[in-house]
Amino acid sequence: MARTHRADLIIGGRGSLMNRCLAAGLPVASACSGQGVCARCMITTLEGGTHLSPPRPHETKVLERHGAGPEQRLSCQCRIADPSATVLITTGYW
């Protein structure tokens, strides 16, 4: 994992984005322990969003309820579909 010049993170590997961030030693906000309810773990994909699993109905509903944009996902609910791919993400609290 590598940092860019801003508060962005290039992340790859297996597992949810939340787990990948935690494995990299980054804090991930969450009040629901990764159940996809609180939306505090919302991230914005800057590059490579096509490598993420498609949002399931539950995630879509939570994102809509929180007014998320098209590039925003719940890090606890999405996975990197191809472990060799990388995704550039950011969030407001890093």
Side-chain angles (χ1 to χ4, degrees), residues 55-75:
R56 289 185 253 156
H58 172 74
E59 181 184 4
T60 299
K61 183 178 174 181
V62 173
L63 289 169
E64 287 173 356
R65 185 173 68 230
H66 288 277
E71 301 301 321
Q72 293 181 301
R73 299 289 306 271
L74 300 181
S75 67

Side-chain angles (χ1 to χ4, degrees), residues 3-15:
R3 283 196 175 270
T4 65
H5 64 284
R6 301 178 313 198
D8 307 336
L9 176 73
I10 298 171
I11 195 158
R14 296 192 191 288

Side-chain angles (χ1 to χ4, degrees), residues 10-14 51 80-87:
I10 298 171
I11 195 158
R14 296 192 191 288
H51 297 298
I80 300 174
D82 177 358
S84 65
T86 57
V87 180

Side-chain angles (χ1 to χ4, degrees), residues 32-46:
C32 69
S33 300
Q35 298 300 309
V37 179
C38 70
R40 290 186 180 176
C41 69
M42 191 181 311
I43 55 91
T44 301
T45 56
L46 302 174

Side-chain angles (χ1 to χ4, degrees), residues 17-19 21-22 26-43 73-77 91-94:
L17 281 181
M18 174 184 263
N19 288 339
C21 290
L22 292 172
L26 294 169
V28 178
S30 178
C32 69
S33 300
Q35 298 300 309
V37 179
C38 70
R40 290 186 180 176
C41 69
M42 191 181 311
I43 55 91
R73 299 289 306 271
L74 300 181
S75 67
C76 68
Q77 297 298 300
T91 187
Y93 53 84
W94 287 338

